[in-house]
mmCIF file of all heavy atoms in Angstrom:
data_model
loop_
_atom_site.group_PDB
_atom_site.id
_atom_site.type_symbol
_atom_site.label_atom_id
_atom_site.label_comp_id
_atom_site.label_asym_id
_atom_site.label_seq_id
_atom_site.Cartn_x
_atom_site.Cartn_y
_atom_site.Cartn_z
ATOM 1 N N ILE V 211 -18.113 19.030 0.517
ATOM 2 C CA ILE V 211 -18.696 18.304 -0.612
ATOM 3 C C ILE V 211 -20.024 18.967 -0.930
ATOM 4 O O ILE V 211 -20.869 19.120 -0.049
ATOM 5 C CB ILE V 211 -18.919 16.810 -0.263
ATOM 6 C CG1 ILE V 211 -17.586 16.112 0.028
ATOM 7 C CG2 ILE V 211 -19.679 16.100 -1.383
ATOM 8 C CD1 ILE V 211 -17.728 14.654 0.464
ATOM 9 N N LYS V 212 -20.199 19.405 -2.200
ATOM 10 C CA LYS V 212 -21.467 20.041 -2.583
ATOM 11 C C LYS V 212 -22.287 19.096 -3.442
ATOM 12 O O LYS V 212 -21.791 18.539 -4.421
ATOM 13 C CB LYS V 212 -21.196 21.350 -3.341
ATOM 14 C CG LYS V 212 -20.684 22.429 -2.436
ATOM 15 C CD LYS V 212 -20.631 23.784 -3.108
ATOM 16 C CE LYS V 212 -20.123 24.820 -2.107
ATOM 17 N NZ LYS V 212 -19.542 25.985 -2.750
ATOM 18 N N LEU V 213 -23.563 18.953 -3.037
ATOM 19 C CA LEU V 213 -24.495 18.091 -3.779
ATOM 20 C C LEU V 213 -25.488 18.957 -4.537
ATOM 21 O O LEU V 213 -25.898 20.018 -4.072
ATOM 22 C CB LEU V 213 -25.310 17.217 -2.818
ATOM 23 C CG LEU V 213 -24.645 16.103 -2.038
ATOM 24 C CD1 LEU V 213 -25.707 15.328 -1.271
ATOM 25 C CD2 LEU V 213 -23.878 15.180 -2.955
ATOM 26 N N LYS V 214 -25.874 18.476 -5.696
ATOM 27 C CA LYS V 214 -27.003 19.090 -6.411
ATOM 28 C C LYS V 214 -27.676 17.990 -7.207
ATOM 29 O O LYS V 214 -27.001 17.224 -7.902
ATOM 30 C CB LYS V 214 -26.493 20.200 -7.329
ATOM 31 C CG LYS V 214 -27.616 21.063 -7.836
ATOM 32 C CD LYS V 214 -27.121 22.255 -8.631
ATOM 33 C CE LYS V 214 -28.327 22.993 -9.177
ATOM 34 N NZ LYS V 214 -28.097 23.453 -10.531
ATOM 35 N N ASP V 215 -28.999 17.911 -7.081
ATOM 36 C CA ASP V 215 -29.773 16.883 -7.794
ATOM 37 C C ASP V 215 -29.168 15.491 -7.625
ATOM 38 O O ASP V 215 -29.112 14.714 -8.579
ATOM 39 C CB ASP V 215 -29.865 17.242 -9.281
ATOM 40 C CG ASP V 215 -30.528 18.588 -9.503
ATOM 41 O OD1 ASP V 215 -31.383 18.948 -8.684
ATOM 42 O OD2 ASP V 215 -30.185 19.269 -10.480
ATOM 43 N N GLY V 216 -28.706 15.200 -6.426
ATOM 44 C CA GLY V 216 -28.199 13.858 -6.149
ATOM 45 C C GLY V 216 -26.850 13.545 -6.743
ATOM 46 O O GLY V 216 -26.467 12.378 -6.836
ATOM 47 N N LEU V 217 -26.118 14.577 -7.127
ATOM 48 C CA LEU V 217 -24.763 14.377 -7.655
ATOM 49 C C LEU V 217 -23.786 15.289 -6.926
ATOM 50 O O LEU V 217 -24.166 16.372 -6.464
ATOM 51 C CB LEU V 217 -24.713 14.712 -9.153
ATOM 52 C CG LEU V 217 -25.374 13.704 -10.088
ATOM 53 C CD1 LEU V 217 -25.495 14.296 -11.493
ATOM 54 C CD2 LEU V 217 -24.565 12.397 -10.124
ATOM 55 N N ILE V 218 -22.521 14.869 -6.847
ATOM 56 C CA ILE V 218 -21.495 15.741 -6.268
ATOM 57 C C ILE V 218 -21.062 16.737 -7.342
ATOM 58 O O ILE V 218 -20.600 16.330 -8.415
ATOM 59 C CB ILE V 218 -20.285 14.917 -5.783
ATOM 60 C CG1 ILE V 218 -20.701 14.042 -4.595
ATOM 61 C CG2 ILE V 218 -19.122 15.841 -5.390
ATOM 62 C CD1 ILE V 218 -19.614 13.123 -4.076
ATOM 63 N N ILE V 219 -21.258 18.029 -7.060
ATOM 64 C CA ILE V 219 -20.825 19.025 -8.054
ATOM 65 C C ILE V 219 -19.490 19.660 -7.676
ATOM 66 O O ILE V 219 -18.846 20.270 -8.514
ATOM 67 C CB ILE V 219 -21.891 20.122 -8.310
ATOM 68 C CG1 ILE V 219 -22.309 20.800 -7.002
ATOM 69 C CG2 ILE V 219 -23.111 19.528 -9.020
ATOM 70 C CD1 ILE V 219 -23.062 22.104 -7.242
ATOM 71 N N SER V 220 -19.086 19.526 -6.412
ATOM 72 C CA SER V 220 -17.708 19.907 -6.078
ATOM 73 C C SER V 220 -17.308 19.241 -4.774
ATOM 74 O O SER V 220 -18.152 18.882 -3.960
ATOM 75 C CB SER V 220 -17.540 21.431 -6.022
ATOM 76 O OG SER V 220 -17.945 21.919 -4.775
ATOM 77 N N ASP V 221 -16.008 19.056 -4.617
ATOM 78 C CA ASP V 221 -15.444 18.367 -3.453
ATOM 79 C C ASP V 221 -14.068 18.975 -3.239
ATOM 80 O O ASP V 221 -13.121 18.598 -3.919
ATOM 81 C CB ASP V 221 -15.366 16.864 -3.751
ATOM 82 C CG ASP V 221 -14.850 16.069 -2.548
ATOM 83 O OD1 ASP V 221 -14.368 16.681 -1.579
ATOM 84 O OD2 ASP V 221 -14.931 14.828 -2.603
ATOM 85 N N GLN V 222 -14.007 19.957 -2.325
ATOM 86 C CA GLN V 222 -12.771 20.734 -2.217
ATOM 87 C C GLN V 222 -12.357 21.003 -0.784
ATOM 88 O O GLN V 222 -13.212 21.141 0.091
ATOM 89 C CB GLN V 222 -12.963 22.082 -2.929
ATOM 90 C CG GLN V 222 -12.965 21.902 -4.426
ATOM 91 C CD GLN V 222 -13.144 23.202 -5.164
ATOM 92 O OE1 GLN V 222 -13.805 24.110 -4.665
ATOM 93 N NE2 GLN V 222 -12.559 23.293 -6.339
ATOM 94 N N PRO V 223 -11.042 21.111 -0.562
ATOM 95 C CA PRO V 223 -10.579 21.479 0.778
ATOM 96 C C PRO V 223 -10.928 22.933 1.092
ATOM 97 O O PRO V 223 -11.053 23.753 0.188
ATOM 98 C CB PRO V 223 -9.067 21.292 0.705
ATOM 99 C CG PRO V 223 -8.715 21.231 -0.731
ATOM 100 C CD PRO V 223 -9.938 20.852 -1.490
ATOM 101 N N VAL V 224 -11.100 23.218 2.393
ATOM 102 C CA VAL V 224 -11.349 24.583 2.849
ATOM 103 C C VAL V 224 -10.005 25.184 3.231
ATOM 104 O O VAL V 224 -9.211 24.530 3.908
ATOM 105 C CB VAL V 224 -12.282 24.574 4.087
ATOM 106 C CG1 VAL V 224 -12.478 25.978 4.637
ATOM 107 C CG2 VAL V 224 -13.609 23.935 3.741
ATOM 108 N N ALA V 225 -9.761 26.417 2.790
ATOM 109 C CA ALA V 225 -8.512 27.085 3.163
ATOM 110 C C ALA V 225 -8.447 27.175 4.683
ATOM 111 O O ALA V 225 -9.448 27.426 5.343
ATOM 112 C CB ALA V 225 -8.474 28.474 2.546
ATOM 113 N N LYS V 226 -7.269 26.929 5.225
ATOM 114 C CA LYS V 226 -7.116 26.904 6.684
ATOM 115 C C LYS V 226 -7.387 28.285 7.268
ATOM 116 O O LYS V 226 -6.866 29.280 6.832
ATOM 117 C CB LYS V 226 -5.699 26.473 7.041
ATOM 118 C CG LYS V 226 -5.652 25.680 8.318
ATOM 119 C CD LYS V 226 -4.278 25.059 8.515
ATOM 120 C CE LYS V 226 -4.145 24.442 9.888
ATOM 121 N NZ LYS V 226 -5.165 23.464 10.199
ATOM 122 N N ARG V 227 -8.270 28.317 8.277
ATOM 123 C CA ARG V 227 -8.598 29.578 8.922
ATOM 124 C C ARG V 227 -8.636 29.365 10.414
ATOM 125 O O ARG V 227 -8.822 28.254 10.898
ATOM 126 C CB ARG V 227 -9.981 30.055 8.475
ATOM 127 C CG ARG V 227 -9.960 30.616 7.096
ATOM 128 C CD ARG V 227 -11.376 30.739 6.637
ATOM 129 N NE ARG V 227 -11.551 31.952 5.874
ATOM 130 C CZ ARG V 227 -12.548 32.138 5.036
ATOM 131 N NH1 ARG V 227 -13.451 31.216 4.870
ATOM 132 N NH2 ARG V 227 -12.660 33.259 4.382
ATOM 133 N N ARG V 228 -8.503 30.452 11.140
ATOM 134 C CA ARG V 228 -8.609 30.359 12.586
ATOM 135 C C ARG V 228 -9.859 31.073 13.039
ATOM 136 O O ARG V 228 -10.305 32.017 12.406
ATOM 137 C CB ARG V 228 -7.362 30.956 13.242
ATOM 138 C CG ARG V 228 -6.133 30.071 13.022
ATOM 139 C CD ARG V 228 -4.874 30.717 13.538
ATOM 140 N NE ARG V 228 -5.012 31.133 14.918
ATOM 141 C CZ ARG V 228 -4.799 32.377 15.319
ATOM 142 N NH1 ARG V 228 -4.448 33.305 14.462
ATOM 143 N NH2 ARG V 228 -4.917 32.690 16.579
ATOM 144 N N PHE V 229 -10.431 30.603 14.138
ATOM 145 C CA PHE V 229 -11.687 31.159 14.612
ATOM 146 C C PHE V 229 -11.492 31.811 15.977
ATOM 147 O O PHE V 229 -10.805 31.284 16.838
ATOM 148 C CB PHE V 229 -12.747 30.076 14.745
ATOM 149 C CG PHE V 229 -13.123 29.480 13.416
ATOM 150 C CD1 PHE V 229 -12.451 28.379 12.927
ATOM 151 C CD2 PHE V 229 -14.120 30.053 12.658
ATOM 152 C CE1 PHE V 229 -12.781 27.844 11.704
ATOM 153 C CE2 PHE V 229 -14.456 29.523 11.436
ATOM 154 C CZ PHE V 229 -13.790 28.415 10.951
ATOM 155 N N ALA V 230 -12.163 32.949 16.159
ATOM 156 C CA ALA V 230 -12.218 33.552 17.484
ATOM 157 C C ALA V 230 -13.245 32.788 18.306
ATOM 158 O O ALA V 230 -14.006 31.992 17.778
ATOM 159 C CB ALA V 230 -12.619 35.017 17.357
ATOM 160 N N ARG V 231 -13.307 33.054 19.624
ATOM 161 C CA ARG V 231 -14.210 32.267 20.469
ATOM 162 C C ARG V 231 -15.676 32.525 20.143
ATOM 163 O O ARG V 231 -16.529 31.694 20.414
ATOM 164 C CB ARG V 231 -13.941 32.546 21.950
ATOM 165 C CG ARG V 231 -12.637 31.915 22.397
ATOM 166 C CD ARG V 231 -12.618 31.627 23.884
ATOM 167 N NE ARG V 231 -13.432 30.496 24.292
ATOM 168 C CZ ARG V 231 -13.078 29.226 24.162
ATOM 169 N NH1 ARG V 231 -11.936 28.904 23.601
ATOM 170 N NH2 ARG V 231 -13.867 28.265 24.593
ATOM 171 N N ASP V 232 -15.985 33.688 19.539
ATOM 172 C CA ASP V 232 -17.387 33.942 19.181
ATOM 173 C C ASP V 232 -17.733 33.321 17.834
ATOM 174 O O ASP V 232 -18.833 33.496 17.325
ATOM 175 C CB ASP V 232 -17.672 35.446 19.163
ATOM 176 C CG ASP V 232 -16.910 36.170 18.061
ATOM 177 O OD1 ASP V 232 -16.117 35.516 17.345
ATOM 178 O OD2 ASP V 232 -17.119 37.384 17.913
#
Side-chain angles (χ1 to χ4, degrees):
I211 297 176
K212 288 190 179 157
L213 291 185
K214 193 174 176 220
D215 301 329
L217 287 169
I218 293 177
I219 55 165
S220 83
D221 183 349
Q222 287 180 329
V224 176
K226 213 170 171 55
R227 284 166 141 160
R228 289 174 53 236
F229 295 90
R231 287 205 74 79
D232 66 357

